[in-house]
Amino acid sequence: MAGDLSRYYEVKRRDGAARIGRLITPTGRLQTPALVSAESGIREEIELINVDSPAFAALSTKDGWNSPRGTVLLPEVHPLHHKQRESPLYVDVFVIGFASSMLKTPEAFVRRVIDARSEIPPDVALWTPAIATPENAALLVYMGVDILDDINALIKGYSGIYQLEECELRVSELEELPCNCSVCTSTDVSKLQELNADARAKIARHNTLLLERELRKIREYIRTGTLREYVELRVRSSAFLTAALRILDTKQEYFEPGTPIARKIAMKINTMESLRRIEVRRFANRILARYAPPAKRILLILPCAAKKPYSSSQSHRRIINAIRDYRGHVHELILTSPLGVVPRELELVYPAAFYDIPVTGYWDAEERAWVASRLDAYLDKNLGNYDVIVAHLRGAYRAICESVTEDKGIEVIFTCEEQEKEHSEEAIHRLRSCIANLCATSKESGIRTGVVKAMADYQFGIGAGDELLRGSTRVVGKYPALRLVSVTGDVLARVVPEYGLMALSVAGARRIARITPYKVEIGGDFIPKGAILAPGVMNASGEIRPNDEVIFYSDRVFGVGRARMSGWEMVESIRGVAIDVREVITL
Ligand SMILES: [Zn+2]
């Protein structure tokens, strides 16, 4: 049976298409992404089962498919491939046949993996034989490959090629060994250059050790949520890999469902490719689809600050202090790269409070165009909300604001001079007088309620905020750790600043259950404790992403928890934790 290939595969953690999993084979267990050895049992088992298994042989003969050794289960072309778990060919590992053809072009490199992954169930491991190098391993895993092997490392080593993370060198060209692995510290370059059997074996061993180290790093970066940053760094040494990443960045529909809705670590926006991250595009989309500004007549556009949330920065504290008496009339909108526009009420959400970008005062053309397009779209949708626009901006920020508003024929009052800092005394004074002149009376900001409403809409869909705030609710707690409590004192929801998310209680979930799509129907025969596993899920919304706050229910129970996988994965998977349960009640 093809099923003998491995006994079990379970995905434990996800980030985009990359995963950490556990593969149990007849000869042991592996943590994926895993490096399998050309000499290890698993590879023999895979070849044996792929080609010699009675089920496979019978089907091959019957369908007249003459499969070369080691090339079965190529999902996009193999006529025997079946997605159904009942199929005799259902396995826990899929192998991409002739993976070496992926190295022909960056397009092929990307397409072969995406085609395979899109075809096989999510809780099946994917292997691209004989192509892994320390240079491409991170991108392979980022694309969704779970198993790499040392075949390329061995072949290159025996050919006298010494691999590094950023290149391959002929050992004959080296003057010293730029590595401190156990091989390189116990020999010297002249010995390896003899290229006898012993030297070749040692180079191969160095190559393998380097690949092993790379895999350990990659697993760590999946755990910390920083694999994307590492991939951007790693592809930089190769035009082929950089091209592959740029092509991947056009495949948003492939990566978006697996990309967590929040992380507890800041994104580093240090390259041109960082601007195209899923998180950036998702935020921009939600500002248009899931945000309605509060009814305030003055729009005040502000520059971003390096410190997050922005309101904790020195410059924003001075600005807020200056307009404090009138804040109830003023809606604050922060202009920033790469997120575009961030309403003050959403400054705590992921990724608004979770990104770092180098600040030099210089903005490149693509960055300007992107941020301008976000302001343009925001004004198109919300201009009618305001009577007047004030912009406390200078430099590139002001240029962007002018380019957008002049095109639309919108008048803007600028309150900052080119040569002064936004939080200088003169600028702050000018801003305060301007706002005071525009407002006849002072008015409280209502910012705390605004944050709860905006975050709920952003996370659960438009309308969720109003449902949560219905009746005599109060927002308590010290900003940013806000809690929404009902008139009876029950906590309905709380802001979790560490993740940039809002968490619901059962009482809060009941208020929004009717209108939010973030729901999971579970089997009626159990009361979940701790975790809900994927087989217990009957139905889940396609909107759900890893780390989303979700409501689950059956005829017997109702509860809230944190999604560990996306909605489609909950439905398609037969293993793995779908939801971490926080609170549950029986009906
Ligand atoms: Zn070494």
Side-chain angles (χ1 to χ4, degrees), residues 137-152:
L139 191 60
L140 284 170
V141 171
Y142 179 76
M143 290 196 294
V145 174
D146 304 291
I147 300 176
L148 310 178
D149 58 62
D150 61 359
I151 298 171
N152 187 282

Side-chain angles (χ1 to χ4, degrees), residues 43 50 54 72 109 118 125 189-190 263 272 309 333 394 502 518:
R43 191 167 161 275
N50 280 350
V72 296
F109 190 80
S118 307
V189 69
S190 61
R263 297 187 184 87
M272 189 185 123
L333 187 72
R394 65 191 177 96
M502 180 173 272
Y518 291 85

Side-chain angles (χ1 to χ4, degrees), residues 300-304 316 319 332-335 344 392-393 431:
L300 173 60
I301 307 178
L302 298 170
C304 59
H316 277 238
I319 291 166
E332 298 154 40
L333 187 72
I334 293 106
L335 202 57
R344 175 70 77 200
H392 196 63
L393 305 171
L431 174 65

Side-chain angles (χ1 to χ4, degrees), residues 429-446:
H429 182 76
R430 200 177 302 110
L431 174 65
R432 186 183 160 80
S433 327
C434 169
I435 298 291
N437 285 337
L438 291 168
C439 305
T441 56
S442 63
K443 188 175 175 188
E444 275 194 39
S445 74

